[in-house]
Amino acid sequence: MKVLDNVPFRLNLEEVKRELRLNKKKSSSINVQELIKEAESLIRARSVYRVSYIDKKGKDIVRINGVAFSSRVLRVNLEKVERVFPYIITIGKELEDKASQSGDLLKQFYLETLGDMALYSSMQHLEKHLKSQYGLDKLANMNPGSLKDWPITEQKLLFSLFQDMEGQIGVKLTENMLMIPRKSISGIYFPTEVNFFSCQLCSRERCQARKAPYDKNLREKYRLDDE
Ligand code: SF4
């Protein structure tokens, strides 16, 4: 198990303005630089991953380091793969505490959005780290709960691959499978030859976090029922 502490993240001024939907008029009414500075002071990004090996592949099941995950999409994606990288990333609790205590809905939205951006940037950092450490060209990742095919209940199995996550990076899993701090993400990175995003199999409309267009044909390829 490897822990990356103080993960560098990037909050670019122009990207922040775009994400916060600040046009020229709105930008002049708030100090975006100050907001970024405040968010940065509240964020402590940490990640943990484990180099893991697949020890069994069954029908819609894949066993990783002795833990069996049930997902047809994961199983298909890992068809030619032997080594995977389960991970957990967090930006800590301070920013979300500050946001919920601010009593200002707009400020809350701004801080939450910056937190999401920092979390995404931390994911990119981990992906880059894995590629350079293990000589990999392309990686894709899946998260329990992102698709009906891989339910959130499997989060518990993913956490069982790690020890003392609360002590190591300050993340705990509740009985309802929610991670605390909320601004945390868990999943499995795996080598791939083709781009893959769970969003391609998700028909949800108007999702701010969508990373790739919905592809109905791909659902058929994975033999998934219509949503
Ligand atoms: S489109 Fe949105 S809800 Fe669907 S998998 Fe992507 S991020 Fe998740």
Side-chain angles (χ1 to χ4, degrees):
M1 185 170 95
K2 306 211 175 183
V3 177
L4 305 179
D5 207 349
N6 286 320
V7 171
F9 61 92
R10 204 173 51 98
L11 291 175
N12 173 281
L13 180 65
E14 290 312 312
E15 282 172 24
V16 167
K17 284 185 188 169
R18 202 166 45 243
E19 284 296 314
L20 298 183
R21 287 169 241 134
L22 296 174
N23 51 30
K24 268 194 182 154
K25 204 171 149 196
K26 271 199 196 163
S27 299
S28 59
S29 65
I30 64 160
N31 189 332
V32 190
Q33 300 269 26
E34 276 300 313
L35 188 70
I36 291 176
K37 222 161 119 189
E38 182 179 6
E40 285 175 342
S41 73
L42 296 166
I43 290 169
R44 181 175 171 202
R46 286 182 282 181
S47 58
V48 61
Y49 70 92
R50 183 174 171 190
V51 182
S52 303
Y53 294 90
I54 295 172
D55 47 52
K56 192 176 176 187
K57 292 173 186 173
K59 187 180 179 296
D60 300 346
I61 281 184
V62 58
R63 203 170 70 190
I64 298 168
N65 283 9
V67 177
F69 293 93
S70 305
S71 158
R72 179 178 299 169
V73 178
L74 186 66
R75 170 68 182 85
V76 170
N77 283 342
L78 300 184
E79 175 62 25
K80 295 182 190 159
V81 176
E82 295 304 326
R83 185 177 59 176
V84 296
F85 305 90
Y87 70 88
I88 301 170
I89 303 173
T90 186
I91 62 156
K93 208 168 174 307
E94 271 191 69
L95 180 131
E96 62 192 43
D97 285 349
K98 180 83 178 185
S100 60
Q101 290 158 11
S102 79
D104 175 343
L105 281 181
L106 194 58
K107 174 91 181 270
Q108 189 173 349
F109 165 73
Y110 288 159
L111 286 176
E112 292 276 351
T113 305
L114 263 51
D116 290 339
M117 290 178 76
L119 191 58
Y120 183 63
S121 170
S122 306
M123 277 186 75
Q124 289 178 315
H125 175 269
L126 178 60
E127 189 173 323
K128 217 165 144 188
H129 169 87
L130 294 174
K131 281 180 183 167
S132 72
Q133 289 290 308
Y134 301 97
L136 301 164
D137 283 338
K138 201 184 266 246
L139 285 172
N141 115 82
M142 284 187 66
N143 321 96
S146 59
L147 294 172
K148 204 162 110 192
D149 168 76
W150 197 22
I152 190 74
T153 44
E154 302 249 322
Q155 185 94 279
K156 200 170 179 175
L157 299 177
L158 187 68
F159 267 68
S160 74
L161 293 170
F162 299 95
Q163 279 168 4
D164 186 25
M165 278 303 87
E166 200 166 356
Q168 293 285 347
I169 59 165
V171 177
K172 83 173 178 206
L173 189 65
T174 69
E175 283 190 359
N176 296 330
M177 304 297 139
L178 296 174
M179 284 180 282
I180 295 175
R182 276 187 296 109
K183 298 272 183 237
S184 305
I185 188 161
S186 67
I188 298 177
Y189 270 109
F190 52 90
T192 181
E193 285 167 9
V194 292
N195 287 329
F196 173 83
F197 296 96
S198 296
C199 303
Q200 293 170 284
L201 302 172
C202 173
S203 62
R204 185 171 159 186
E205 288 174 16
R206 287 192 287 278
C207 174
Q208 297 265 356
R210 181 173 284 285
K211 293 177 190 67
Y214 174 52
D215 183 346
K216 199 168 186 299
N217 295 334
L218 198 64
R219 278 191 76 83
E220 282 161 20
K221 196 177 146 204
Y222 280 94
R223 292 181 291 114
L224 295 174
D225 299 333
D226 278 346
E227 284 187 309

